Amino acid sequence: MSVSLVKSAEMPSVDAWLKEAKADPSAAGCGMYLTHNGVVRETAKAKVRLGAEDTKPVTGLFFSYEEEKVEAAIAAAYEMPGISWIRVWLAQGELQVGDSIMLVLIGGDIRPHVIDALQELVGTIKNSCVTETERY
């Protein structure tokens, strides 16, 4: 197991990540891989999360993250039952509607373990590791 935060200006290929994952010795124990691709949306967070109807459309987003916190979140996800493969990529800087914010790939033994780990990891990253400032 290695902490797997991929640092790149360009979003990596999910296909390349899956090829890498399936060539890894851990692949023999993986029965499922799940991905998450978070994208900048036009609808403001206040509207979709809080129901605020008086929000303007989002035109962009400033996004940053704290590397040490992300690495700690990844390490914690590796401790979850059945998890043996994780890759995370996060964008940085000014993003536009439709741009990818993050890409996460998790592999593990059975569906419930992988679903739980993906939900926990993405939730931790979004709630504790990143700063998102919507532009209107």
Side-chain angles (χ1 to χ4, degrees), residues 1-122:
M1 185 254 342
S2 63
V3 175
S4 303
L5 176 59
V6 175
K7 298 178 225 169
S8 168
E10 296 293 318
M11 186 176 91
S13 161
V14 173
D15 289 337
W17 276 5
L18 280 168
K19 186 175 181 180
E20 181 185 357
K22 291 177 179 181
D24 188 79
S26 69
C30 284
M32 180 180 208
Y33 295 94
L34 278 178
T35 61
H36 168 80
N37 180 206
V39 178
V40 179
R41 70 177 173 273
E42 183 178 65
T43 310
K45 187 182 287 189
K47 185 171 186 174
V48 296
R49 301 256 190 236
L50 306 174
E53 292 298 325
D54 61 343
T55 60
K56 295 179 183 178
V58 171
T59 59
L61 177 78
F62 179 80
F63 188 86
S64 64
Y65 64 91
E66 295 183 52
E67 185 176 330
E68 298 80 20
K69 288 183 178 182
V70 175
E71 289 176 350
I74 294 168
Y78 268 120
E79 296 298 317
M80 295 181 75
I83 301 306
S84 56
W85 183 264
I86 300 174
R87 289 292 179 271
V88 174
W89 170 84
L90 299 166
Q92 290 195 83
E94 290 291 338
L95 305 173
Q96 303 303 311
V97 171
D99 287 347
S100 290
I101 297 171
M102 74 166 65
L103 183 63
V104 178
L105 173 68
I106 294 187
D109 57 358
I110 60 174
R111 183 180 61 244
H113 289 160
V114 180
I115 290 170
D116 289 349
L118 181 67
Q119 184 160 328
E120 181 69 24
L121 178 56
V122 171

